[in-house]
């Protein structure tokens, strides 16, 4: 996987004077079967989240409120995505290093994952990630 496999996906937006509505379904807007969801909130100013890669887990990230940056790194190149609309999702395949930073006040990051939580799926050491990437292990 490389940064070119990341997809910034426009979600359906049902405009309504009563308030807008967006949605995401398995194997449609979300290109995998959702096994888990979690969310990041109350992130203090200046804090970063992420700082790891997954061996198998694919993720789909939505900025439900506020804004933040997702920095994707494939070991050779990096790309920063600013998420600041609740009708866009960022698809992040497995095997990529990610950091999340520049959280605005009251931002809310919703994440869908393709796996149940498994601590062993994480690669948290960047040098190990680079080694695994160059060996084709991740
Ligand atoms: P982590 O994935 O490292 O957070 P982030 O990448 O968003 O900075 O998870 C932080 C802690 O929460 C870690 O101890 C594992 C735990 N956790 C779960 O128990 N279940 C989950 O679904 C997730 C995402 C994390």
């Amino acid at each position: 996987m490389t940064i070119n496999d990341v997809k910034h996906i426009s979600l359906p937006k049902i405009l309504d004077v009563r308030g807008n509505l967006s949605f995401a379904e398995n194997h449609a807007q979300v290109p995998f079967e959702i096994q888990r969801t979690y969310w990041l909130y109350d992130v203090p100013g200046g804090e970063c989240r992420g700082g790891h890669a997954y061996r198998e887990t694919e993720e789909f990230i939505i900025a439900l409120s506020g804004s933040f940056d997702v920095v994707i790194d494939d070991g050779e190149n990096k790309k920063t995505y600013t998420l600041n609309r609740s009708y866009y999702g960022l698809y992040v395949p497995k095997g990529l290093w990610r950091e999340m930073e520049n959280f605005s006040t009251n931002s809310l990051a919703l994440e869908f994952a393709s796996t149940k939580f498994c601590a062993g799926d994480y690669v948290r050491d960047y040098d190990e990630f680079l080694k695994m990437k160059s060996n084709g292990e991740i």
Side-chain angles (χ1 to χ4, degrees), residues 36-38 40 48-52 54 59 98 100 111 116-117 122 124:
R36 175 166 52 102
T37 185
Y38 63 97
L40 295 171
C48 297
R49 302 291 315 212
H52 53 71
Y54 297 117
E59 287 199 327
R98 86 280 317 277
M100 295 170 71
E111 312 214 16
K116 297 263 165 56
F117 178 72
Y122 285 73
R124 292 188 181 274

Side-chain angles (χ1 to χ4, degrees), residues 32-47:
F32 55 78
E33 182 91 13
I34 299 166
Q35 296 290 331
R36 175 166 52 102
T37 185
Y38 63 97
W39 44 99
L40 295 171
Y41 55 98
D42 292 346
V43 179
E47 286 294 344

Side-chain angles (χ1 to χ4, degrees), residues 3 11 13 17 25 36-37 48 54 76 82 95 106 133:
I3 56 168
L11 299 173
K13 191 176 178 192
V17 289
E25 295 184 351
R36 175 166 52 102
T37 185
C48 297
Y54 297 117
E76 290 185 357
T82 298
N106 287 332
K133 213 65 188 157

